[in-house]
Amino acid sequence: EQLSDDYQVRWVVEGDTIAYELVGRIGPDQYMGFGPSGSTTQTLMTGADPTITYMSGTEFKAVDFYMDSRAACSGESGVCPDTRAQGVDDV
């Protein structure tokens, strides 16, 4: 689905797996993210499990995050990489 001229999301559902692709133009201090809602019945950031992507120099990075609240990551709570929130980075 094209969300803007600079950001697109493509996905395919195969059984119980969803594979998605982010396509966009971002600057060196910007990021893109996409992931399933934290709820099965509504759009909800809390409980979401997004992938956050960014550029590090000329290298593309994708990191698995978990959002147990809408606050910045502090310790193991907030919007944190899965590895910091005691999860697994399986991106």
Side-chain angles (χ1 to χ4, degrees), residues 68 72-81 83-86:
D68 73 354
C73 185
S74 176
E76 295 178 357
S77 64
V79 180
C80 296
T83 54
R84 194 160 169 189
Q86 298 182 351

Side-chain angles (χ1 to χ4, degrees), residues 19-35:
Y20 57 92
E21 175 182 40
L22 299 177
V23 179
R25 286 177 246 161
I26 57 174
D29 60 344
Q30 296 178 315
Y31 65 90
M32 297 188 309
F34 183 79

Side-chain angles (χ1 to χ4, degrees), residues 7-50:
Y7 188 89
Q8 295 178 33
V9 178
R10 302 175 184 151
W11 65 87
V12 62
V13 178
E14 296 176 358
D16 62 352
T17 301
I18 301 172
Y20 57 92
E21 175 182 40
L22 299 177
V23 179
R25 286 177 246 161
I26 57 174
D29 60 344
Q30 296 178 315
Y31 65 90
M32 297 188 309
F34 183 79
S37 172
S39 170
T40 59
T41 60
Q42 62 181 334
T43 302
L44 186 65
M45 286 180 65
T46 302
D49 187 24

Side-chain angles (χ1 to χ4, degrees), residues 50-70:
T51 299
I52 306 299
T53 62
Y54 62 96
M55 296 297 295
S56 178
T58 59
E59 189 175 347
F60 171 80
K61 301 282 189 173
V63 181
D64 194 7
F65 272 68
Y66 181 74
M67 304 167 75
D68 73 354
S69 75
R70 295 177 71 174

